[in-house]
Amino acid sequence: MIIFWLLFILFPKFAQSVTCPACPTDGILSEWTTNDDCEAPCGGCANLTYSRTCLSTDISASCTCKGPTTTSKPCNTQACNFPRANSPKPPCCDGSQPIVVNNWYHCGKVENLTPNSYCCPDGGVWGEWSVWVKGSGRLEYSRTRKCLSNGFKCKCEGEPKETINGCPCPPLSIDTSRCDDSTKISYNASRQENQYNPASCTATLILERSNFRGTFYKQDTVDNTQNMLTYIAYIENGKCQGTRFKAFDGMVILTNGLLDSIVFQCDIVTKMWNGLNPWVPKNMTNVTAAAQMVFI
Ligand SMILES: *[C@@H]1O[C@H](CO)[C@@H](O)[C@H](O)[C@H]1NC(C)=O
Ligand SMILES: *[C@@H]1O[C@H](CO)[C@@H](O)[C@H](O)[C@H]1NC(C)=O
Ligand SMILES: *[C@@H]1O[C@H](CO)[C@@H](O)[C@H](O)[C@H]1NC(C)=O
Ligand SMILES: *[C@@H]1O[C@H](CO)[C@@H](O)[C@H](O)[C@H]1NC(C)=O
């Protein structure tokens, strides 16, 4: 449960000068939150411990916050009905009074806080973008962000929501040229780019099932002399990897132009391309490039 402390509302005063600092005097702190439950149902008759974090250091390391990051404040501050059901107690505890906040009677004292003097940062202060989520349209993906400086009456410039038509992941490259050092196999043999589907966030690596245009297949002399094998080169976690892929049974070199494929799926939260070589079997995760290899 998150309870936002409503009562002690800060009314900042804005300086007019253009040369005033963009960082508010006390930085920008989050709202007070707590995970605890209030022990009293109404009247602010119990306290809860709240905490808050400094948000402005995320925007600029030098924009540090002043003030405590934990506090104890009355909770369930909505005024109790008076007289209360089982006693004539007043509607508010601790000498606080019912005051109207957001069209409801709450118990509290309006604190006389010294107003902060600061100007709004240029363009306001945006929070981090959320992860991408698939929208309702076939190609639609969107993400959102919050204006952190809004609570300080500083408007943010720009949109709180971004919608794009197409997968937010970058296409899966076939550039596996960095793999060239490891073996005697020539990489980067794919004759076409991986087929990118922006609606489903998939990329299909096309594998040639025959030695029609290059030496894609060799007999598996290690595990099974009856299998023909091809190899896939891919960059995983920034490192070159290779995996064997079964082409077909039998030892005849085919030149019939048949194709095979491996579908990579991009996880829109982590933006990582992941695929499975079902034959080995082997997961390929966090892949940025994948291509069929050719033997020389
Ligand atoms: C809540 O805390 C305040 C100090 O912040 C204290 O004066 C008050 O007595 C406390 N109320 C209860 C019900 O513990
Ligand atoms: C490697 O891939 C790039 C990009 O498709 C291509 O331009 C280049 O010719 C390829 N190199 C070889 C040796 O096939
Ligand atoms: C994914 O790979 C990139 C390099 O391409 C690396 O910087 C990053 O840390 C990897 N992410 C994970 C979650 O392993
Ligand atoms: C591949 O990853 C999936 C999902 O994490 C897992 O269920 C499966 O066992 C993995 N397969 C292999 C061969 O590692």
Side-chain angles (χ1 to χ4, degrees):
M1 180 179 61
I2 295 175
I3 296 172
F4 295 110
W5 182 245
L6 294 169
L7 289 187
F8 301 103
I9 301 158
L10 179 70
F11 292 105
K13 196 169 73 188
F14 298 98
Q16 298 301 312
S17 158
V18 256
T19 56
C20 66
C23 179
T25 322
D26 294 339
I28 299 178
L29 285 150
S30 71
E31 289 172 280
W32 291 109
T33 61
T34 184
N35 291 319
D36 298 339
D37 288 329
C38 188
E39 284 175 11
C42 61
C45 301
N47 284 339
L48 265 183
T49 302
Y50 296 78
S51 60
R52 60 182 178 177
T53 54
C54 186
L55 301 173
S56 46
T57 45
D58 284 351
I59 289 98
S60 162
S62 61
C63 192
T64 52
C65 295
K66 289 195 198 92
T69 53
T70 61
T71 190
S72 176
K73 287 181 176 184
C75 52
N76 280 349
T77 56
Q78 72 279 10
C80 302
N81 290 331
F82 178 78
R84 298 193 202 174
N86 48 9
S87 75
K89 278 188 193 162
C92 292
C93 286
D94 278 337
S96 60
Q97 298 296 319
I99 51 174
V100 177
V101 177
N102 286 349
N103 296 323
W104 196 259
Y105 280 104
H106 281 263
C107 302
K109 306 161 206 170
V110 177
E111 277 188 358
N112 249 346
L113 293 168
T114 319
N116 268 351
S117 177
Y118 63 93
C119 65
C120 288
D122 284 346
V125 178
W126 287 107
E128 296 281 301
W129 283 106
S130 71
V131 297
W132 288 96
V133 291
K134 182 86 178 80
S136 49
R138 194 180 76 87
L139 282 174
E140 192 183 301
Y141 291 84
S142 63
R143 60 179 183 169
T144 55
R145 59 181 176 173
K146 267 191 183 165
C147 181
L148 300 179
S149 51
N150 238 352
F152 291 78
K153 308 248 187 298
C154 292
K155 282 205 171 122
C156 290
E157 275 165 27
E159 298 300 320
K161 183 174 184 184
E162 186 185 1
T163 300
I164 55 167
N165 281 319
C167 177
C169 301
L172 181 65
S173 156
I174 59 164
D175 183 6
T176 48
S177 47
R178 278 190 295 152
C179 295
D180 276 343
D181 55 345
S182 54
T183 71
K184 293 190 186 68
I185 295 158
S186 163
Y187 298 79
N188 187 25
S190 287
R191 290 300 199 272
Q192 49 188 327
E193 297 293 330
N194 294 311
Q195 290 177 3
Y196 185 51
N197 183 333
S200 59
C201 264
T202 55
T204 304
L205 167 63
I206 303 293
L207 300 166
E208 303 208 13
R209 281 183 63 121
S210 76
N211 284 356
F212 178 53
R213 293 189 293 176
T215 312
F216 289 116
Y217 292 97
K218 272 199 168 165
Q219 193 181 324
D220 180 356
T221 50
V222 180
D223 290 349
N224 180 346
T225 52
Q226 296 305 304
N227 283 333
M228 294 301 273
L229 291 180
T230 187
Y231 276 78
I232 303 155
Y234 58 103
I235 312 258
E236 181 180 64
N237 294 319
K239 274 193 182 158
C240 178
Q241 303 286 353
T243 183
R244 292 155 12 126
F245 187 84
K246 184 182 175 183
F248 49 85
D249 290 321
M251 290 163 59
V252 183
I253 300 289
L254 299 180
T255 55
N256 56 7
L258 284 177
L259 300 174
D260 215 326
S261 65
I262 291 183
V263 177
F264 285 82
Q265 176 76 50
C266 185
D267 178 332
I268 57 172
V269 173
T270 60
K271 300 239 193 85
M272 299 195 320
W273 288 101
N274 304 313
L276 172 72
N277 176 347
W279 184 55
V280 180
K282 186 161 176 50
N283 279 328
M284 296 170 273
T285 51
N286 194 14
V287 174
T288 50
Q292 188 175 19
M293 309 192 302
V294 70
F295 296 92
I296 47 173

